[in-house]
Amino acid sequence: MRAGRVQKPARELFRDATFPASESSLFFNLSTPLAQFREEITWRRPQEICTTPQLFPDNPWEGQVKQGLLGDCWFLCACAALQKSRHLLDQVFPPGQPSWSDQTYRGLFICRIWQFGRWEEVTIDDRLPCLAGRLCFSRCQREDVFWLPLLEKVYAKVHGSYEHLWAGQVADALVDLTGGLAERWNLKGPAGSSRQQDRPTGGQEHRTCWQMLRLKDRCLISCSVLSPRAGARVMGEFHAFIVSDLQELQSRAGQGILLLRILNPWGRQCWQGLWREGGEGWSQLESTDEARLLSQLQDGEFWVEEGEFLREFDEVTISYPVTEAGHLQSLYTERTLCHARALPGAWVKGQSAGGCRNNSCFPSNPKFWLHLSEPSEVCVAVLQRPQRRTEARARPLLGHGAAPASLSGKDYQAVGLHIWKVEKRRVSLPRVLSAPPVAGTVCHAYDREVHLRCELSPGRYLAVPSTFLKGVSAQFLLRVFSTGKMSLSRAERPAAQGTDPRAALPADQVETMQLRGCWKAGWTAGGSRNFASYPCNPCLPFSVPEGAGPRCVRITLQQHCRLGDSQLHPIGFHVFQVREGAESQDVQSLLLQEPLLSCVPHRYAQEVSRLCLLATGTYRVVPSTYLPDAEGAFTVIIATSVDRRSIHSQEVLGRFLQEVSIMTVMKA
């Protein structure tokens, strides 16, 4: 009997347990029309969808974006930016990804998404949502090309589900895919504008289209319809499009005509204006020009003339060009913004959430020193870290037709930014901030990122980001891009009156306690109270002895590195009082209470300190870095005033009387 051939076992393909092929990855709260397909969606790998899947096509057009059932036109428009620059695509889709025909193929792909200041690597499996065996969400013009649906899955994983992508802003997705900046230009005047100084308003709309003509080959341009009008009625509202091309032409009468080629991500013809195929507009051009331009149209594309464009569309979004070296280029001067700095910050209720300039507590907002060594074109941006939405905001989002803003699930504060020039670092804040700023956003905006562009002379500047309302908490990243050399640092918060950390207690009237510990990633480095991991921080006990009344206590936190050291972290601390009889209270519930006193905002300093009056009792001090997982060692020094009796003696002592401080050491 002939022995049968032994078959090699099939390779086991990767299954992503953190973003599984299940409803939890599809839906957020079943609030979109996507929910009607809940029972019909299946998951398939590319080789189960077609015979020869490929990541990228040879012909760029075959990889062009096409929208499916998901209302993520805003994201798909941003994806088109990657096709304009190979180095941007390689940044997001690292080269060397295995092909489905390779021996190394495991069903696993890796992409990078820029998130709050750094590139995050995201791993997915290649199981994709399908209806009746075909991709039901995004696809490329050729359905055997899969770079786009795979990137869409990566972005859905970052946001928590596909349904989270139902509505959003093109500008936000452009920043996430390029790590740069994007501007929104309002085509209908100031109301609802992009809130930055160079937006087109009034008579500038004409100039806007010619700016777009100059920029068309350097960056992604998108346009949006927020409410339908005559020609755009069938295009839907809150829908985003891609500006594929702009052409400057001469009419038969010798007049200049500017035409814009628009791509609808839905992939179908929807334009009924004068420049549709067979429309009256083409009679203005020579037949050769008409034939050439119409032959360029692909599925979902149409031509519009400048006047139609300004009338029918509401907004334009443009990404800043990014060079191969990773530097941004100005949209206005084409100069390279080759110097970049970024620092995190936070508005903390009761401490640094001073609100807009209408509020007397505006000076308490976070402040940053910007020092320019030479005349520079500068872009300063304030990027908010998303929070879960608690109430609806007046922030129109783009999706598949009309989409309520609440679908984004994210809450952004109305934010503004102002810059003052100062002659020296030691200044009177009320005097400086009461003067007109040299630059500022037009208004506070409910956008994820607001920014301004300005030309600044050499010198020192004070930048103050603020929320419109006072007393609201949020985190942000301040980013500065400049053509000239510059430095960026936090402005130290002035100590409150009567709590000057440099005020010394008399050395012979204190008892001193030292508490030593460390912050260790994944264990005791919980970060500030803005993070859920805060209770992981060291919680160190101390007590104030009985006496005639409250005692003067100086609490100092020192980190074990020197100023300028690369390991220096922004540090601060909170003090919690343990109620009498509750000494056994667990740390988690204690730290959920409001602290008795605080030394924040966190500062880049080797030492921070707070002088206070504390009643007799038991306390816990919680030292922390601003961000979680920042490792380092520290010492907390607690100096408490003590009662000293006067010594009255006629006896000559053979030695000096010396008070000895009490020192205890707690090792983490």
Side-chain angles (χ1 to χ4, degrees):
M1 183 176 178
R2 201 170 184 181
R5 175 179 286 179
V6 178
Q7 290 187 343
K8 292 183 179 179
R11 282 173 294 171
E12 186 176 347
L13 298 181
F14 173 67
R15 290 171 173 263
D16 185 4
T18 60
F19 197 68
S22 66
E23 280 194 6
S24 65
S25 299
L26 288 171
F27 302 108
F28 162 48
N29 58 9
L30 296 170
S31 60
T32 68
L34 191 61
Q36 66 185 295
F37 302 102
R38 184 177 180 180
E39 304 296 330
E40 303 171 50
I41 293 178
T42 58
W43 298 77
R44 298 191 179 191
R45 297 187 188 267
Q47 66 270 36
E48 299 169 335
I49 299 172
C50 63
T51 6
T52 54
Q54 53 184 319
L55 198 55
F56 299 105
D58 295 327
N59 180 353
W61 172 252
E62 294 174 346
Q64 190 60 272
V65 303
K66 196 170 181 181
Q67 187 177 354
L69 295 176
L70 190 60
D72 62 347
C73 56
W74 59 283
F75 170 67
L76 300 183
C77 287
C79 288
L82 304 182
Q83 296 182 297
K84 280 184 170 287
S85 302
R86 184 71 203 190
H87 63 276
L88 292 180
L89 185 60
D90 288 346
Q91 175 68 63
V92 172
F93 246 111
Q97 306 269 358
S99 169
W100 286 271
S101 58
D102 292 346
Q103 291 296 317
T104 55
Y105 166 72
R106 292 181 47 229
L108 174 151
F109 288 86
I110 297 173
C111 290
R112 299 190 193 106
I113 303 292
W114 190 89
Q115 292 285 281
F116 204 67
R118 63 180 187 178
W119 288 96
E120 301 280 358
E121 206 166 77
V122 184
T123 301
I124 57 163
D125 63 35
D126 60 355
R127 294 177 293 175
L128 299 169
C130 294
L131 268 177
R134 295 181 64 193
L135 292 170
C136 60
F137 298 149
S138 76
R139 61 178 72 94
C140 295
Q141 293 293 335
R142 268 191 63 164
E143 293 192 26
D144 59 353
V145 174
F146 286 93
W147 77 271
L148 182 65
L150 288 172
L151 182 55
E152 182 184 52
K153 182 173 183 178
V154 166
Y155 208 57
K157 180 176 179 178
V158 167
H159 283 73
S161 73
Y162 278 94
E163 195 174 43
H164 271 107
L165 304 186
W166 190 272
Q169 291 289 353
V170 179
D172 295 349
L174 280 169
V175 172
D176 291 344
L177 295 179
T178 66
L181 294 174
E183 286 191 6
R184 291 165 56 200
W185 295 349
N186 186 3
L187 300 176
K188 297 295 184 286
S193 68
S194 61
R195 294 103 177 175
Q196 60 86 31
Q197 289 187 326
D198 293 293
R199 74 186 192 286
T201 57
Q204 295 183 4
E205 288 91 346
H206 175 75
R207 198 187 84 187
T208 298
C209 289
W210 293 97
Q211 279 182 302
M212 291 162 57
L213 177 64
R214 178 174 55 82
L215 294 167
K216 67 172 185 174
D217 296 324
R218 299 171 51 218
C219 51
L220 185 280
I221 305 174
S222 172
C223 55
S224 307
V225 172
L226 302 182
S227 55
R229 284 164 294 280
R233 184 159 292 134
V234 295
M235 296 195 295
E237 57 184 345
F238 298 109
H239 189 44
F241 301 77
I242 298 164
V243 179
S244 311
D245 192 16
L246 293 94
Q247 292 278 338
E248 184 182 4
L249 303 159
Q250 199 82 8
S251 72
R252 293 176 188 267
Q255 296 176 332
I257 295 179
L258 183 63
L259 291 181
L260 299 91
R261 193 168 90 220
I262 311 295
L263 169 65
N264 184 353
W266 287 341
R268 63 173 185 262
Q269 294 289 348
C270 58
W271 184 248
Q272 300 301 318
L274 294 177
W275 295 85
R276 67 186 183 278
E277 288 192 60
E280 299 172 11
W282 297 104
S283 61
Q284 300 177 45
L285 296 181
E286 298 291 343
S287 55
T288 51
D289 287 332
E290 176 186 2
R292 177 175 60 84
L293 294 180
L294 288 175
S295 68
Q296 294 175 7
L297 292 178
Q298 303 287 345
D299 289 345
E301 285 190 322
F302 54 91
W303 289 98
V304 296
E305 186 265 334
E306 179 188 8
E308 282 183 317
F309 177 79
L310 294 173
R311 184 174 63 251
E312 301 295 345
F313 291 88
D314 297 281
E315 192 174 74
V316 166
T317 301
I318 300 189
S319 64
Y320 275 61
V322 183
T323 68
E324 292 193 23
H327 301 309
L328 299 190
Q329 286 184 306
S330 170
L331 290 177
Y332 304 92
T333 64
E334 300 187 19
R335 288 186 289 177
T336 301
L337 305 168
C338 51
H339 300 275
R341 298 288 184 273
L343 283 175
W347 296 286
V348 180
K349 184 177 180 180
Q351 294 163 24
S352 60
C356 67
R357 295 176 67 204
N358 298 329
N359 299 301
S360 59
C361 50
F362 176 77
S364 68
N365 281 301
K367 293 169 283 294
F368 298 82
W369 289 116
L370 172 63
H371 186 264
L372 296 172
S373 306
E374 53 191 302
S376 303
E377 179 180 357
V378 178
C379 289
V380 188
V382 181
L383 174 70
Q384 294 186 67
R385 185 187 285 275
Q387 303 178 63
R388 301 313 305 168
R389 180 171 295 279
T390 56
E391 59 184 71
R393 297 292 189 193
R395 181 176 184 259
L397 300 175
L398 305 169
H400 186 89
S406 59
L407 287 179
S408 74
K410 301 292 172 58
D411 189 16
Y412 298 107
Q413 299 297 333
V415 168
L417 173 67
H418 295 85
I419 298 176
W420 285 264
K421 187 168 187 180
V422 293
E423 299 304 322
K424 53 187 178 180
R425 277 190 93 136
R426 291 188 175 276
V427 294
S428 166
L429 269 180
R431 186 181 304 164
V432 169
L433 300 184
S434 62
V438 296
T441 50
V442 175
C443 64
H444 286 66
Y446 283 111
D447 288 333
R448 190 180 80 165
E449 186 168 49
V450 298
H451 55 89
L452 58 89
R453 185 195 73 92
C454 47
E455 298 281 347
L456 297 178
S457 59
R460 191 180 300 280
Y461 295 84
L462 190 65
V464 184
S466 62
T467 57
F468 181 73
L469 298 174
K470 66 179 180 180
V472 293
S473 296
Q475 298 172 52
F476 64 87
L477 182 71
L478 185 76
R479 299 198 286 162
V480 182
F481 303 88
S482 170
T483 55
K485 292 181 180 179
M486 55 94 173
S487 64
L488 181 68
S489 62
R490 286 183 180 81
E492 293 186 4
R493 186 185 182 202
Q497 189 174 359
T499 60
D500 186 351
R502 294 169 295 181
L505 294 170
D508 62 342
Q509 295 181 18
V510 298
E511 288 181 348
T512 303
M513 172 184 287
Q514 289 191 10
L515 307 171
R516 294 176 185 163
C518 68
W519 297 293
K520 188 170 182 181
W523 181 35
T524 57
S528 65
R529 293 184 73 219
N530 298 316
F531 300 94
S533 55
Y534 176 74
C536 299
N537 284 301
C539 185
L540 310 177
F542 72 97
S543 59
V544 175
E546 292 183 1
R551 293 185 184 269
C552 193
V553 180
R554 185 177 68 241
I555 304 173
T556 304
L557 170 62
Q558 297 176 340
Q559 56 179 322
H560 296 179
C561 55
R562 297 188 178 277
L563 193 62
D565 192 318
S566 61
Q567 298 303 312
L568 192 73
H569 301 300
I571 57 173
F573 61 82
H574 298 279
V575 175
F576 298 83
Q577 185 170 18
V578 180
R579 297 189 307 274
E580 189 175 351
E583 286 77 6
S584 59
Q585 182 181 7
D586 67 282
V587 172
Q588 183 81 26
S589 60
L590 176 67
L591 300 193
L592 288 176
Q593 302 172 12
E594 282 299 309
L596 180 69
L597 62 93
S598 305
C599 183
V600 289
H602 291 65
R603 289 167 47 201
Y604 275 104
Q606 188 180 358
E607 174 181 299
V608 295
S609 186
R610 176 76 191 268
L611 187 68
C612 54
L613 288 174
L614 294 180
T616 300
T618 305
Y619 299 86
R620 300 285 188 274
V621 58
V622 181
S624 64
T625 57
Y626 179 72
L627 294 175
D629 294 333
E631 296 194 330
F634 63 82
T635 298
V636 175
I637 304 169
I638 300 172
T640 308
S641 64
V642 295
D643 299 327
R644 301 295 188 202
R645 290 183 184 177
S646 299
I647 298 175
H648 302 283
S649 176
Q650 303 298 321
E651 194 174 346
V652 178
L653 301 179
R655 58 185 174 82
F656 290 103
L657 293 175
Q658 183 178 11
E659 295 291 340
V660 180
S661 297
I662 300 171
M663 179 180 291
T664 61
V665 177
M666 175 176 284
K667 293 184 178 179

